[in-house]
Amino acid sequence: MKIQILTNIPNTGKMQQTKGTFETYDENGNQKTFIVSENFIDIMNYRYIHRNTSHPLRSGDELFYKRIHCLNFENKKVYYLNRYGKEKSNGIHIGLTWKENQKFLFLMGQHWIQQENNIRYLTNMVLIVFGILASWKN
């Protein structure tokens, strides 16, 4: 799943796309500046790839991403993804539509249908409906 990176507009609580801007960040004491023509990440199972570098999004029960409820971008859900796992000071923001959010949660194993209690509930509901239909036909 290919998603565009967002940057926040200071003191507004809003986001903007990073297309055609400069991105500057500090890694290991070195300052790097990039001209960003298309700034996208590829989200895969439990990780994302940005500039040919893989970054983990989950390790066991520990999550390296979080949803930011106070930021807005075109009625999308905004997430903050940590770079290199536990590094919290240097990360990226992404905006997801409802469909992209469902796919993202499914790739991270956090979707409601992947939880054991919900699978049991759905199975019981299907069996109850099947039982009602079988008894109604007889």
Side-chain angles (χ1 to χ4, degrees), residues 14-55:
K14 296 183 180 179
M15 306 296 289
Q16 66 184 1
Q17 296 177 348
T18 57
K19 190 171 186 178
T21 62
F22 291 95
E23 179 180 336
T24 305
Y25 64 96
D26 194 8
E27 281 184 7
N28 301 328
N30 299 328
Q31 189 165 356
K32 296 183 179 181
T33 304
F34 296 98
I35 298 174
V36 181
S37 59
E38 292 182 344
N39 206 349
F40 289 92
I41 62 170
D42 288 321
I43 297 178
M44 299 178 180
N45 286 344
Y46 308 113
R47 65 188 175 107
Y48 72 94
I49 297 175
H50 183 236
R51 292 195 182 105
N52 296 327
T53 304
S54 180
H55 303 273

Side-chain angles (χ1 to χ4, degrees), residues 18 48 57-58 61 71-72 77 84 89 104 119 123 130:
T18 57
Y48 72 94
L57 287 172
R58 186 175 178 176
D61 290 337
L71 295 177
N72 295 329
K77 293 162 180 50
Y84 308 110
S89 63
F104 176 77
I119 293 172
T123 305
F130 180 71

Side-chain angles (χ1 to χ4, degrees), residues 96-127:
L96 302 174
T97 61
W98 183 84
K99 187 176 179 180
E100 291 171 338
N101 187 40
Q102 300 302 312
K103 188 173 182 181
F104 176 77
L105 292 174
F106 194 79
L107 289 172
M108 297 305 120
Q110 295 291 312
H111 199 273
W112 67 272
I113 203 161
Q114 292 174 306
Q115 297 174 4
E116 185 178 352
N117 292 338
N118 294 335
I119 293 172
R120 286 184 192 160
Y121 178 76
L122 290 175
T123 305
N124 289 339
M125 292 306 294
V126 167
L127 291 175

